[in-house]
């Protein structure tokens, strides 16, 4: 995963025993040598082999011979060739690629092909020709709203490399925190970060870490809005007098840089110059989203400036600001990238638009000659299921109607992980495994759209991500233990496996107290997964039942699930008195028990054990309607399946398959 | 855990909310300040709080005020005061200690007291006066037979600090590898380690890491035997001509340093001088165990040397060698420590004997005026249950008969983790949680001997260890997945939960092929835990049944376990064809199924459902005898419990409680 562009199975398999070895041949590339060492380390971890097993050797005796034609660019470039071909036979394997990027993708593919057989560990014989559909396949992580330590980013980079992603977009500043050490303007981090920022040394080390894995690092410094944290140390940049304090709430705030003062551009010139030295990537992201214009409207000097320049509104003022910033970015040898709002005529063609609005925006940009990256539909923090992200194609909608030349300006996509509700503890579970579905959308051929196969591949990938250190699974149990206040979490887990956090932006709307960056993220809504596997499995069982394909075992299984759900409430009630974090969970638990009882009754009626009482169906539907409402900011995901059971159970007996 | 020396519960509790703060007061100690930060980090992790919650503040407003009287020694000394007193009331807590060592122990106690209540996270009100029973409470890890990377040691140091251990004994060289960078003699690591060694920088950093946590680091360079790895680069040190290669097997080997050549002592003087600069601890361990004398006997020059000095045997020659080495160690400002074999008269009183032989050895050393540390009975690699280690007291046996002055020479104990069968993946599960039982033996009052309470405390500690990064639990599932060749490991886990690796040194005797350091440690014997929790739980159920205390629920539970054990074999058989690592496991699985069926029959007979057939009991006992034998180097731990069921089931009906 992602599925290769072309592949062909062949007979037999290549055994991986302690004598397995690889050779890195062709052009010299030290980074590929190190990737070879990492590959052997991964292979050892997968097989339980030890450091003295496996080796790097020469092309003659190696079981896997990797050959590249030329070294890759020292600073990874957008659009470098990432293709590879991999041929595995029972006697050995060869991996050919133009450069190390493709070779590393091929090594990841080889690792994913490893499986256990009756003869030993093995990779099936096959032939793969693979290359990405889009050259820009990214993940953005917001480290401002909640600080995300370097080691968390590092494990996520490992996982990104495993699914062939190639851009890490680092959202480094926002109203809630400025996360980079500036040596030119140390007040930025000293006053704007609560001490939670990355040193330049840490940043260099993370960029190198990403680079070793074939991942570019694009920094974002959001401006002119989303800048409160800058103003704590530098109020002179703002459009209203200070003092400012770090924003603790979420939302869109008034503070914005002052586009009417030359000192703003002087500051940005020095700052962007410093950052362009720190971040070697060609692209420099200047944000540009969600400026509400209130500070500008309230500032007489700014209004006078606008009048003097014939600027009519705040959009026009932002366009002026962005034009100036683009020139600064360009002066420091970088290409500007920004959100939809920066779109205007007059930029160099090289500018890239990242769209949180959708393919129409990208199409519009492409028509103006700009390149674009899609993020709308890939917001991981909105808690949508993988299939939904999977269905979003950068080339769909408005983009589909573009000319071929215009379409080529659509570079790919980028998932966004905004961190209002993400902490180092739960962020992995918000990114993975759903990120892999987006990675596949951006790598694999357009017609790779089978959702069932997607979920199967995601399930296979899951333990591999865990081995790379991703905590999407491993952080779940400790969080549940904390909520239960007990090491025995079986009842809570039954419930937790069935709930999902509320979707889109309803977490704000349903919040019991106003959320801030100071509130602990230790509730069930913070532990619950974005997408319930149990609910999906149960829905499949109910599908089979409705279709008349459920045998006695399947019916028993439906009953077992329902019984477990009915019983969890009484078990939880017994411990609730001791664990304050369960208080808000109990109503949810009771609701689940209630509708599960209804589901069991439906099974009884369905199997003709009892006649259906007159008012039963409407009672059940009322319960289900109640259960559908968010509680503790969580959704009970089995409501639709149980509703189907109720419908089925209350059908007149004659029309029903037994 | 370990249980404090004195404690007294009081009414009420101290709530730990986001405003919780601590103050470090009294004498200045930067290491305690940092320990305070780590403490807050741990507390945040436990409660799910974020970096902006909790703070360090001044003594007036803090909820927990820590006060120390004076700084601790810059290099931690044996016997420094480690006592502390902790008073918690609903309004706040105070922790007083002579120095940071006691204060850090008190902080660990505070963390262990944290629990979840209906009001929130809280620590119960109480008063504790605590101090260790022994000043030397250690863990030895052998990093020679299998190399153990720094990060694995680091997480084990965290866990050691959590149970108040204060010595990490680093077994750095042996026949199978020399693991330290020597700048004076780089051939040692370059030829003797397969590239698997610690740089001096890494060593300094680990010593600092340990020191921050109140743990001394005692290096061991085993000599004159267990030295093959030295001789690969320096054959001139050996007693027989080379060349030498790194030993790949386990056992006692012939190579030994040449005690008859002055160049040996010259080399050791330079080497020990270099290492004494690297390792600041007062003690320097020279090993001294298991010299078989064969190389000495075969070397005419050595024999002549012995005759010329009147040395009669190899023990005498080793004594001469050790006397010379002791002087070298002493010249470099260090106190010598060695295994039982170094014991002789004529050393300075400061020398310490570490005993793998037992308390008699310690008593003998104490009578000669030397101090001692007990390791016999604390060998974690021998796979004994926690209660067995817990029952070993350094003051028992020969030591009990000593005078008070002699008894004071017994400094404590040290668990040993020899690494023939330990890898970075499974070593944590060999050390923890059993190490905690030994830690309690060495810290808590002598009369702390209740085994049931021990296991309860160990179970509570378990998740805390996991939070510290210990992989004793988390490495289990990936290892089982690898063996099963599948993500569904439920049947294998049923079996794996019930088996234990063979005990003592029978792993050598029962090995299917000669074990070496090149063989992967990926079999079930490498994943299985040293002590089966399931077997212990089941034994308790059977205890209750035998005592006539089992109600219908308890009987049902016995049946449920037995049914699950009976059924796992058929499930495993279905997957076996695909997973070669299951081949050796299947006979074990079938045996378990067989005796579980017998157990179910026993339950039927016991409940009078069927009459007992004549030959049944002897058939079952024969099956059980078969099942008791090691298979795949594993023991089926439920054999004794099922035997009791069979005995009970075949008793004449009249004598039986219903």
């Amino acid at each position: 995963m992602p599925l290769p562009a072309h592949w062909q199975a062949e007979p037999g398999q290549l055994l991986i025993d302690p004598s397995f070895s690889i050779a890195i041949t062709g052009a010299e590339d030290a980074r590929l040598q190190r990737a070879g060492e990492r590959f052997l380390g991964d292979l050892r971890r997968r097989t339980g082999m030890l450091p003295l097993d496996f080796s790097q050797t020469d092309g003659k005796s190696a079981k896997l011979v990797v050959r590249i034609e030329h070294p890759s660019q020292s600073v990874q470039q957008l659009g470098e060739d990432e293709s590879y071909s991999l041929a595995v036979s029972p006697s050995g394997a060869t991996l050919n690629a133009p450069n190390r990027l493709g070779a590393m993708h091929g090594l990841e593919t080889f690792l994913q092909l490893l499986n256990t057989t009756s003869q030993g560990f093995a990779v099936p014989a096959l032939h793969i020709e693979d290359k990405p559909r889009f050259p820009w396949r990214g993940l953005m992580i917001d480290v401002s709203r909640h600080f995300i330590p370097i080691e968390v980013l590092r494990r996520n980079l490992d996982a990104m490399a495993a699914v062939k992603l190639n851009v890490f977009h680092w959202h480094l500043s926002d109203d809630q925190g400025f996360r980079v050490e500036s040596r030119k303007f140390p007040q930025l981090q000293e006053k704007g970060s609560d001490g939670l920022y990355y040193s330049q040394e840490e940043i260099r080390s993370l960029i190198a870490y990403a680079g070793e894995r074939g991942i570019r690092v694009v920094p974002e410094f959001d401006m002119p809005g989303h800048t409160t944290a800058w103003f704590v140390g530098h109020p002179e940049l703002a459009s209203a007098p200070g003092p400012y304090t770090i924003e603790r709430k979420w939302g869109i705030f008034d503070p914005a840089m002052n586009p009417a003062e030359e000192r703003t551009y002087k500051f940005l010139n020095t700052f962007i110059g410093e950052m362009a030295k720190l971040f070697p990537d060609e692209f420099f992201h200047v944000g540009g989203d969600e400026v509400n214009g209130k500070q500008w409207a309230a500032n007489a000097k700014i209004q006078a400036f606008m009048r003097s320049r014939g600027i009519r509104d705040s959009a026009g003022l932002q366009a002026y600001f962005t034009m100036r910033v683009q020139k600064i970015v360009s002066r420091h040898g970088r290409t500007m990238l920004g959100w939809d709002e920066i779109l205007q005529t007059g930029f160099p063609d090289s500018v890239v638009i990242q769209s949180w609005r959708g393919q129409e925006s990208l199409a519009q940009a492409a028509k103006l000659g700009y390149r674009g990256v899609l993020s709308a539909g890939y917001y991981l923090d909105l808690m949508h299921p993988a299939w939904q992200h999977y269905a979003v194609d950068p080339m769909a909608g408005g983009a589909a109607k573009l000319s071929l030349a215009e379409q080529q300006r659509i570079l790919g996509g980028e998932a966004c992980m905004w961190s209002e509700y993400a902490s180092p503890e739960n962020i992995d579970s918000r990114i993975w495994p759903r990120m892999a579905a987006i990675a596949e959308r951006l790598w694999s051929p357009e017609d790779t759209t089978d959702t069932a196969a997607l979920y199967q591949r995601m399930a296979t990938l899951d333990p591999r991500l865990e081995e790379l250190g991703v905590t999407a699974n491993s952080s779940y149990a400790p969080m549940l233990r904390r909520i239960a206040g007990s090491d025995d979490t079986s009842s809570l887990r039954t419930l937790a496996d069935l709930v999902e956090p509320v979707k889109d932006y309803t977490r704000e709307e349903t919040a019991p107290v106003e959320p801030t960056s100071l509130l602990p993220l230790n509730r069930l809504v913070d532990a619950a997964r974005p997408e319930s596997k149990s609910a999906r499995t149960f829905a499949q069982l109910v599908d089979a039942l409705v279709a008349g394909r459920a045998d006695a075992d399947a019916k028993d299984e439906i009953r077992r699930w329902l019984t477990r759900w009915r019983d969890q409430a009484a078990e939880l009630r017994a411990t609730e008195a001791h664990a304050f974090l369960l208080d808000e969970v109990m109503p949810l638990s009771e609701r689940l028990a209630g509708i599960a009882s209804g589901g069991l009754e439906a099974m009884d009626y369905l199997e003709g054990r009892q006649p259906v009482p007159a008012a039963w169906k409407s009672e059940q539907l009322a319960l289900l309607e109640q259960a559908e409402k968010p509680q503790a900011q969580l959704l009970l995901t089995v409501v639709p399946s149980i509703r189907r059971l109720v419908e089925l159970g209350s059908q007149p007996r004659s029309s029903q398959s037994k």
Side-chain angles (χ1 to χ4, degrees), chain A:
Chain A
M1 184 174 201
L3 204 68
H6 303 283
W7 61 283
Q8 170 93 44
E10 285 169 15
Q13 59 185 19
L14 172 64
L15 283 177
I16 310 292
D17 65 20
S19 73
F20 178 84
S21 57
I22 73 167
I24 310 283
T25 68
E28 290 268 326
D29 193 323
R31 285 177 294 185
L32 184 55
Q33 293 285 347
R34 291 191 292 268
E37 277 308 320
R38 285 200 307 279
F39 165 79
L40 289 181
D42 278 354
L43 209 56
R44 286 185 196 110
R45 191 165 42 194
R46 296 281 299 284
T47 56
M49 304 276 175
L50 296 166
L52 301 181
D53 304 318
F54 305 151
S55 58
Q56 289 214 32
T57 176
D58 59 61
K60 264 173 238 149
S61 54
K63 280 289 160 104
L64 169 58
V65 178
V66 183
R67 184 173 187 84
I68 58 168
E69 289 161 29
H70 52 77
S72 57
Q73 304 285 328
S74 71
V75 173
Q76 192 176 332
Q77 297 298 304
L78 172 66
E80 274 193 84
D81 194 334
E82 296 180 88
S83 67
Y84 69 93
S85 69
L86 174 65
V88 180
S89 80
S91 60
T94 55
L95 169 59
N96 290 313
N99 61 50
R100 70 160 183 128
L101 298 174
M104 293 197 302
H105 292 318
L107 291 174
E108 293 292 347
T109 300
F110 191 93
L111 282 171
Q112 287 194 21
L113 289 167
L114 180 76
N115 64 83
T116 305
T117 72
S118 55
Q119 275 91 53
F121 300 108
V123 169
L126 46 61
H127 186 94
I128 288 178
E129 295 286 338
D130 201 9
K131 63 175 183 187
R133 182 171 163 221
F134 293 106
W136 188 300
R137 305 178 308 282
L139 166 63
M140 186 215 77
I141 297 182
D142 167 13
V143 299
S144 174
R145 292 185 174 80
H146 282 109
F147 182 65
I148 305 296
I150 284 282
E151 66 268 21
V152 179
L153 300 179
R154 224 177 264 138
R155 69 188 183 225
N156 277 285
L157 287 166
D158 286 329
M160 286 173 69
V163 295
K164 303 183 172 59
L165 290 167
N166 67 358
V167 179
F168 169 52
H169 167 175
W170 207 351
H171 184 83
L172 284 159
S173 70
D174 215 303
D175 296 304
Q176 294 81 3
F178 187 96
R179 304 299 182 195
V180 172
E181 177 197 11
S182 167
R183 290 177 186 168
K184 301 279 187 192
F185 304 108
Q187 298 286 301
L188 284 172
Q189 74 273 12
E190 280 169 18
K191 298 209 166 152
S193 77
D194 301 294
L196 301 168
Y197 64 90
Y198 311 104
S199 71
Q200 294 204 354
E201 194 183 338
E202 285 174 318
I203 289 169
R204 277 196 198 91
S205 134
L206 194 85
I207 292 168
Y209 192 91
E212 291 280 320
R213 285 152 186 81
I215 297 170
R216 297 164 39 218
V217 176
V218 175
E220 177 184 354
F221 294 93
D222 203 348
M223 59 184 83
H226 287 286
T227 38
T228 309
W230 303 56
F231 302 157
V232 185
H234 287 279
E236 76 278 10
L237 297 174
S239 303
Y244 290 84
T245 56
I246 295 174
E247 185 57 60
R248 302 298 182 198
K249 298 177 186 171
W250 317 133
I252 299 175
F253 300 97
D254 299 345
M257 286 182 181
N258 189 335
E261 293 282 356
E262 276 309 304
R263 67 167 176 246
T264 302
Y265 303 106
K266 192 158 169 257
F267 182 102
L268 287 175
N269 184 45
T270 307
F271 176 76
I272 291 174
E274 183 187 13
M275 292 301 121
K277 285 207 183 71
L278 185 58
F279 292 93
D281 195 76
E282 177 191 349
F283 292 90
F284 193 94
H285 202 305
V286 299
D289 56 321
E290 301 180 327
V291 183
N292 70 13
K294 284 189 192 168
Q295 278 200 344
W296 294 344
N299 181 321
K301 224 170 141 189
I302 292 176
Q303 290 302 313
F305 175 84
M306 287 169 71
R307 278 189 304 274
S308 74
R309 301 252 169 175
I311 297 171
R312 299 164 59 126
D313 55 13
S314 65
L317 186 57
Q318 185 175 350
Y320 168 83
F321 173 84
T322 311
M323 195 59 79
R324 295 284 306 266
V325 168
Q326 188 277 321
K327 290 198 170 71
I328 295 172
V329 169
S330 179
R331 190 177 312 140
H332 294 290
R334 295 290 177 267
T335 300
M336 187 175 78
L337 176 70
W339 300 101
D340 303 75
E341 289 93 327
I342 69 159
L343 184 60
Q344 59 182 300
T345 54
F347 288 138
D349 278 358
S350 59
V351 162
V352 175
I353 305 297
Q354 178 169 16
S355 179
W356 58 269
R357 288 183 176 153
Q359 291 96 334
E360 300 302 328
S361 260
L362 288 188
Q364 199 189 335
K367 282 180 190 156
L368 290 176
Y370 304 128
R371 294 173 295 176
V373 169
L374 184 68
S375 282
Y378 299 144
Y379 271 34
L380 295 167
D381 55 306
L382 300 187
M383 304 286 169
H384 292 296
W387 63 264
Q388 203 167 317
H389 295 305
Y390 199 56
V392 176
D393 195 302
M395 287 301 183
K401 296 175 206 119
L402 294 173
S403 73
L404 198 66
E406 286 163 350
Q407 282 189 342
Q408 275 170 351
R409 295 190 188 123
I410 297 187
L411 300 174
E414 222 182 62
C416 291
M417 182 63 223
W418 300 102
S419 66
E420 282 90 344
Y421 302 103
S423 70
E425 184 174 46
N426 75 355
I427 193 168
D428 292 26
S429 73
R430 273 69 189 120
I431 300 175
W432 304 100
R434 294 178 303 147
M435 179 77 243
I438 302 171
E440 179 157 284
R441 171 57 47 243
L442 298 173
W443 177 283
S444 303
E446 192 170 357
D447 61 359
T448 313
T449 53
D450 179 343
T451 302
L454 165 74
Y455 278 97
Q456 212 168 9
R457 281 198 296 280
M458 274 168 54
T460 307
L461 181 71
D462 220 39
R464 167 107 184 90
L465 294 173
E466 195 179 314
E467 283 162 18
L468 291 171
V470 167
T471 64
N473 294 322
S474 62
S475 68
Y476 194 48
M479 293 187 83
L480 294 186
R481 280 202 297 265
R482 182 195 294 141
I483 295 164
S486 159
D487 294 341
D488 177 8
T489 58
S490 55
S491 316
L492 177 59
R493 181 159 188 155
T494 300
L495 175 64
D497 280 352
L498 281 193
V499 295
E500 293 174 4
V502 290
K503 310 294 165 185
D504 298 309
Y505 295 101
T506 44
R507 180 138 180 199
E508 314 290 312
E509 298 153 19
T510 56
V513 294
E514 185 173 21
T516 75
S517 54
L518 304 172
L519 277 186
L521 295 174
N522 58 9
R523 296 161 58 212
L524 187 55
V525 65
D526 302 307
R529 274 82 176 269
E531 189 173 7
S532 163
K533 272 188 215 170
S534 303
R536 203 170 62 243
T537 309
F538 187 72
Q540 285 160 356
L541 285 168
V542 173
D543 280 349
L545 185 74
V546 170
R549 285 185 285 102
D551 60 10
D553 276 359
K555 287 178 189 169
D556 276 356
E557 199 175 338
I558 291 177
R559 284 181 177 278
R560 264 201 306 278
W561 285 88
L562 291 167
T563 307
R564 186 79 198 92
W565 299 342
R566 183 196 59 198
D567 296 345
Q568 50 76 37
E571 294 162 16
L572 265 188
R573 224 178 290 131
T575 56
E576 185 204 359
H578 308 297
F580 71 108
L581 289 169
L582 282 181
D583 289 347
E584 64 171 3
V585 174
M586 279 317 297
L588 197 66
S589 166
E590 303 288 357
R591 280 185 197 170
L592 174 61
I595 62 172
S597 295
L600 283 166
E601 287 163 14
M603 293 298 288
D604 286 347
Y605 301 147
L606 186 65
E607 294 178 359
R609 294 195 191 172
Q610 292 173 50
V612 186
W616 179 81
K617 182 178 172 183
S618 59
E619 283 165 17
Q620 292 306 318
L621 292 180
L623 276 180
L624 285 160
E625 202 182 320
Q626 172 68 11
E628 209 163 27
K629 292 183 188 147
Q631 164 63 30
Q633 307 192 270
L634 289 163
L635 298 171
L636 263 179
T637 54
V638 285
V639 169
S641 292
I642 296 183
R643 184 177 283 131
R644 295 179 73 194
L645 288 181
V646 167
E647 295 285 355
L648 198 65
S650 55
Q651 275 172 22
R653 214 94 322 243
S654 56
S655 71
Q656 177 193 315
S657 68
K658 284 263 177 160

